Amino acid sequence: MLFRSGQGLPLLISSDIFSKSVGIDINPLLVKAFDSLRKKLGIDGNKISTNQGSILDKQLIAELIKKNNYQKYKVVYSWGVLHHTGSMMGTQDATSC
């Protein structure tokens, strides 16, 4: 799972390594831009999914875990993002594998 998919390069790379990759970004424009890039590159939406929302949204995280057959994700990647939420403990809870 990738938080703050941004331009999505780490998410694209992760799709070569893992069978399924999930990205989350709070900015709907970045999610839309990444989805456009994913489609342009011919990558199936089942292999990479992007979601608009916050890591602190417990309902969103619960839905993503449910979509992953109630298993937590093996790798959680976030670079320079989580400390901006103002809730480091909340982000640690949400991203704990």
Side-chain angles (χ1 to χ4, degrees), residues 20-64:
K20 185 173 182 180
S21 298
V22 178
I24 299 175
D25 201 301
I26 201 160
N27 185 333
L29 296 176
L30 289 176
V31 172
K32 186 176 179 180
F34 180 80
D35 281 341
S36 175
L37 175 62
R38 177 189 55 76
K39 289 174 187 172
K40 198 177 282 189
L41 293 173
I43 300 171
D44 185 355
N46 291 321
K47 183 148 177 76
I48 299 178
S49 67
T50 50
N51 303 270
Q52 192 273 321
S54 170
I55 183 60
L56 299 175
D57 181 344
K58 291 181 180 184
Q59 182 178 350
L60 173 63
I61 301 305
E63 289 172 12
L64 293 174

Side-chain angles (χ1 to χ4, degrees), residues 58-82:
K58 291 181 180 184
Q59 182 178 350
L60 173 63
I61 301 305
E63 289 172 12
L64 293 174
I65 291 172
K66 182 179 178 181
K67 286 181 185 177
N68 198 36
N69 297 320
Y70 295 98
Q71 297 178 28
K72 290 194 174 189
Y73 292 84
K74 294 179 181 178
V75 176
V76 176
Y77 173 87
S78 178
W79 185 265
V81 175
L82 298 179

